[in-house]
Amino acid sequence: MKKHICTWALISGLLLALPITKAKGENVIIGDDDGGLDARTTDVTLAWDPNRENDIAGYNVYYGRSSGDYFRVETVAKPSATITIKGSKTMYFAVTAFNADGLESDFSDEVHYP
């Protein structure tokens, strides 16, 4: 059974997904089969309220093509991340906080793009 650190001081008020569109990208992190190699890429910047606990080591950013069905994308130290997605399908995002012992919080509220 997974232990959880403090239930949501993290992202109690803010998880935003802001798009920045580019024509093409070479180091695409997330892809789908929409449009093949010529599919448009979009940088989605996620930002959230930091967790107020003293022992927070970082945040895990999760994504998925279905609401509530995520795969971890990356681990970040600060309360923001920019993820490059390829194609036009909806992407769902959520974030967790973790401490130095590896204990992880519940998921944040979910946001999606587009």
Side-chain angles (χ1 to χ4, degrees):
M1 180 177 211
K2 187 187 283 188
K3 294 183 180 180
H4 297 282
I5 55 181
C6 177
T7 311
W8 268 180
L10 168 69
I11 314 176
S12 56
L14 182 64
L15 177 59
L16 299 173
L18 304 171
I20 303 169
T21 303
K22 299 189 293 187
K24 288 186 182 179
E26 295 189 309
N27 296 320
V28 176
I29 296 173
I30 302 169
D32 64 25
D33 54 8
D34 283 352
L37 296 174
D38 293 328
R40 181 169 50 169
T41 61
T42 302
D43 287 338
V44 177
T45 298
L46 303 170
W48 55 90
D49 294 331
N51 191 300
R52 302 266 184 239
E53 292 183 31
N54 293 331
D55 65 342
I56 295 300
Y59 304 93
N60 289 322
V61 179
Y62 291 82
Y63 81 95
R65 294 287 181 197
S66 303
S67 179
D69 186 19
Y70 310 118
F71 299 93
R72 193 171 102 209
V73 173
E74 66 179 280
T75 299
V76 296
K78 296 181 180 183
S80 67
T82 299
I83 308 296
T84 302
I85 59 175
K86 183 176 181 179
S88 60
K89 292 181 182 175
T90 300
M91 184 71 65
Y92 297 88
F93 299 94
V95 177
T96 62
F98 64 90
N99 67 15
D101 293 328
L103 298 176
E104 190 172 13
S105 70
D106 292 327
F107 285 110
S108 68
D109 291 335
E110 179 180 85
V111 296
H112 62 84
Y113 177 81

